[in-house]
Amino acid sequence: MTVSSFVRLSVMVVLTAHSTANAIAQTESIPKGQVVEKVEALNDPSQSYALYLPTNYTPDRKWPVLYAFDPGARGRVPVERFKEAAERYGWIVLGSNNSRNGPFKVVVNAWNAMLTDIHQRFAIDDERSYATGFSGGARSAITVAVGCKCLAGVIAGGAGFPADITPSSQMHFVFFAVAGVDDFNYAELQSLQEPLTKAGIINRFQSFEGRHEWPPVSVATAAVAWMEVHAIQAGKRPRDDGFINATWQQLLNEARALEESKKYYEKYQLYRDMAQSFKGLRDVAEMETKVNQLRDSREGKAAIREEQGQIRKQRELESQLSSLIATRDRAASANPNEEGFDSANLLPRILNDLRKQSKASDDSGQRRVARRVLDGLFIGLVEQGTGLLQTEKNYSESIKRFKLATEVNPDRPAPFFYLAWAYAANGDKKKSLQSLNTAVEKGFSDAAMITGNKAFDSIRNEPEYQQIMARLKK
């Protein structure tokens, strides 16, 4: 059975078993108006989720629901980000404590558990079910939406469609993409607008000041408000002129703030979305004129060129660094006793320049590109290294990846911890201790990850190890 058919089957079973004719088994002990960190699924206690139930929740009517997928099974994180919107607009929000990056079966099981449990406990509007996710969780949310064909919208943060799925006219959900301006996946999400529009998928892209992270509360709330507008457009929510006018005015205020900050590209994006999203709900002729005027203005053209230039520069640098790393790897394979040869010393020079640019105090296109490139390379190397270390048990290759990650960002403790692990597993006690000491010096503080890891058994009796652990536990 394919993933998509499995998910569709689960939805069909749930909706059949919990029709409106049946009583809804609500758990009265679950408090309203506050985040509940762990609700165990009635049918499977191994599955749980964080939950926010609006203060005015009652089973007398059906409620929109937002299912959230975090890449690290931190269900509370997205629920905290969306609770304000949930309270304001009357949504139930739940975030899986099981779904994480890795085998998709884990995501499917978490989705089915949440779907079944939420219908057993609460009155759910199945016409207004949504999913959100961040990074790998965003890709999970999209995959679930495509597979189940049961979601009205997706809010995707920090990542877009999985590699094996492309936007299609067969997809009947609206799509809100969001990314930090310094997020290494910014270009991916920004560039999704064209294929989504061509596929007939209503979409919006919004950025925020930040890196690769869940969007802030203000943006999460804006995403839900956007879904509310399109629920009215689709006839899934009764028309509410008070809400429509208040939302329109709020967006106009945001546009003025963007102009004052000289963020012309963001203003252009907002105007364009307002003209599209509110068409048929109010007169948008003036807004359509503003979109064309801003697009054709000197400031608008310069902002669009700058945006395109940043994306182009990011991709050029990523390609250049990938080529240099591949050259280094080939040289190291040809001579295993050497680290790899870079005749012009280009790789460390480029990395050093990017680090300097990334630490600039003021926001700029150069700083954004530098942060995106460095963070993307760093995350990619750590992910490759952990796969080689934990799954493939290829310790020597994992060491290469972690060492390069320390070159990309020498201030982060994680790659030094993984280096210590890989060296210990590879039988190099001296380098393992050196790396572990560096990890702790740079801020690594999770003693349980060291004491519970059998790879470090070979160095536990070493005096230096005991000194490191004593320092860590202070």
Side-chain angles (χ1 to χ4, degrees), residues 9 69 95 172 186 203 206 278 288 312 341 348 351 387 441 471:
L9 176 62
F69 299 88
H172 302 296
Y186 177 95
N203 67 91
Q206 183 166 338
F278 286 85
E288 289 174 336
R312 183 169 57 252
F341 183 62
L351 292 175
E441 286 180 346
R471 194 166 76 251

Side-chain angles (χ1 to χ4, degrees), residues 26 28 30-36 51-61 63-64 82-93 122:
Q26 180 191 2
E28 296 291 345
I30 296 178
K32 303 173 187 177
Q34 67 183 67
V35 175
V36 180
L51 175 72
Y52 186 86
L53 200 60
T55 303
N56 62 340
Y57 172 80
T58 169
D60 296 337
R61 70 174 179 86
W63 298 72
F82 283 93
K83 69 178 182 181
E84 182 175 309
E87 185 67 22
R88 180 181 301 180
Y89 298 111
W91 285 32
I92 297 171
V93 181
F122 306 112

Side-chain angles (χ1 to χ4, degrees), residues 1 28 37 61 63 93 119 148 271 353 430 435 467:
M1 181 180 290
E28 296 291 345
E37 190 157 2
R61 70 174 179 86
W63 298 72
V93 181
H119 280 81
C148 80
Y271 274 176
D353 287 345
K430 182 178 179 180
S435 299
Q467 291 168 7

Side-chain angles (χ1 to χ4, degrees), residues 385-394:
T386 53
L388 289 163
L389 172 63
Q390 298 178 43
T391 305
E392 299 182 32
K393 311 298 181 186
N394 189 336

Side-chain angles (χ1 to χ4, degrees), residues 96-170:
S96 173
N97 291 324
N98 297 81
S99 178
R100 62 172 63 245
N101 287 353
F104 192 66
K105 183 179 179 181
V106 174
V107 177
V108 172
N109 290 342
W111 156 250
N112 287 336
M114 287 195 295
L115 184 69
T116 303
D117 203 68
I118 207 74
H119 280 81
Q120 288 177 323
R121 295 178 186 272
F122 306 112
I124 301 301
D125 185 349
D126 291 311
E127 291 294 309
R128 302 208 47 211
S129 295
Y130 304 85
T132 186
F134 161 65
S135 194
R139 302 195 200 282
S140 295
I142 293 167
T143 305
V144 166
V146 172
C148 80
K149 302 183 185 298
C150 64
L151 298 179
V154 173
I155 301 169
F161 280 58
D164 59 342
I165 300 177
T166 55
S168 162
S169 59
Q170 301 303 308

Side-chain angles (χ1 to χ4, degrees), residues 295-447:
R295 182 193 60 216
D296 296 334
S297 69
R298 179 174 56 84
E299 294 87 356
K301 289 179 179 179
I304 292 171
R305 282 197 304 272
E306 171 65 19
E307 181 77 5
Q308 294 170 342
Q310 289 176 25
I311 292 175
R312 183 169 57 252
K313 183 64 174 178
Q314 177 184 346
R315 288 172 173 164
E316 288 173 356
L317 282 166
E318 288 170 342
S319 178
Q320 184 181 18
L321 289 170
S322 178
S323 178
L324 287 169
I325 291 168
T327 299
R328 175 189 278 195
D329 286 347
R330 286 193 297 270
S333 297
N335 189 349
N337 295 321
E338 298 292 335
E339 291 292 327
F341 183 62
D342 180 357
S343 59
N345 211 28
L346 271 177
L347 183 58
R349 281 169 49 197
I350 293 173
L351 292 175
N352 186 55
D353 287 345
L354 289 173
R355 279 195 298 273
K356 289 180 180 177
Q357 294 164 12
S358 73
K359 294 176 181 178
S361 57
D362 296 328
D363 183 29
S364 67
Q366 185 181 65
R367 190 182 77 170
R368 292 182 181 189
V369 170
R371 289 182 173 184
R372 293 175 197 171
V373 172
L374 287 175
D375 286 357
L377 180 57
F378 179 83
I379 294 294
L381 289 167
V382 171
E383 288 180 348
Q384 292 170 26
T386 53
L388 289 163
L389 172 63
Q390 298 178 43
T391 305
E392 299 182 32
K393 311 298 181 186
N394 189 336
Y395 305 125
S396 59
E397 287 300 316
S398 72
I399 288 168
K400 292 179 185 177
R401 292 291 164 258
F402 294 133
K403 287 181 71 174
L404 185 51
T406 66
E407 291 183 51
V408 175
N409 192 332
D411 299 324
R412 298 277 291 273
F416 290 100
F417 166 74
Y418 285 118
L419 262 178
W421 179 351
Y423 278 130
N426 210 34
D428 193 329
K429 295 182 181 180
K430 182 178 179 180
K431 289 185 177 179
S432 176
L433 288 165
Q434 289 174 344
S435 299
L436 190 60
N437 184 61
T438 303
V440 172
E441 286 180 346
K442 292 183 179 292
F444 188 84
S445 59
D446 194 340

